[in-house]
Amino acid sequence: QVQLVESGGGLVQAGGSLRLSCAASGRTFRSYAMAWFRQAPGKEREFAALINWNGGRTHYTDSVKGRFTISRDNAKNTVYLQMNSLKPEDTAVYYCAAGLVADPKGNFYWGQGTQVTVSS
């Protein structure tokens, strides 16, 4: 099992940037594909970005392509989400997730979430 702690959320104006971090416990971090999901107020949680175990493959939902970048540092047991050109519709709680399969529809361990608010 892996435990995940997100950080880096906050309030930013539209067009701005934020970088989320997710620190994972345990010695098996590199065994996991890592992902970011988000849940906006009144909506279901949705997939945002995923990276495979060695960073060689990434996958994004269409609405964040070209604006968000997921990356990982296996030496630091950390995954990142760089978010640029933020829009008000990016406002959500962002969750870090770890899965044994690099598939947005797979089973994941979850962090507690970090709030991102984009003002217009």
Side-chain angles (χ1 to χ4, degrees):
Q1 192 169 353
V2 61
Q3 293 182 328
L4 306 170
V5 179
E6 302 98 332
S7 62
L11 174 64
V12 64
Q13 289 188 334
S17 298
L18 280 175
R19 188 195 198 200
L20 305 183
S21 298
C22 173
S25 65
R27 294 173 291 179
T28 60
F29 177 73
R30 63 175 59 246
S31 299
Y32 292 96
M34 299 299 297
W36 289 94
F37 289 74
R38 63 186 184 179
Q39 186 168 18
K43 295 187 177 181
E44 293 187 354
R45 186 158 53 189
E46 66 172 3
F47 166 75
L50 178 144
I51 189 166
N52 75 331
W53 72 275
N54 66 355
R57 181 167 67 89
T58 57
H59 177 52
Y60 300 92
T61 193
D62 286 346
S63 61
V64 309
K65 283 180 181 177
R67 300 188 299 121
F68 290 12
T69 302
I70 188 171
S71 61
R72 66 189 296 162
D73 185 337
N74 285 347
K76 296 182 178 180
N77 281 13
T78 302
V79 63
Y80 306 97
L81 186 67
Q82 177 67 43
M83 306 185 294
N84 299 329
S85 302
L86 282 162
K87 304 175 181 180
E89 51 263 44
D90 294 317
T91 295
V93 177
Y94 283 71
Y95 295 91
C96 176
L100 293 176
V101 178
D103 183 346
K105 297 182 180 180
N107 294 319
F108 290 93
Y109 296 104
W110 299 94
Q112 82 289 349
T114 186
Q115 177 70 47
V116 171
T117 302
V118 184
S119 63
S120 58

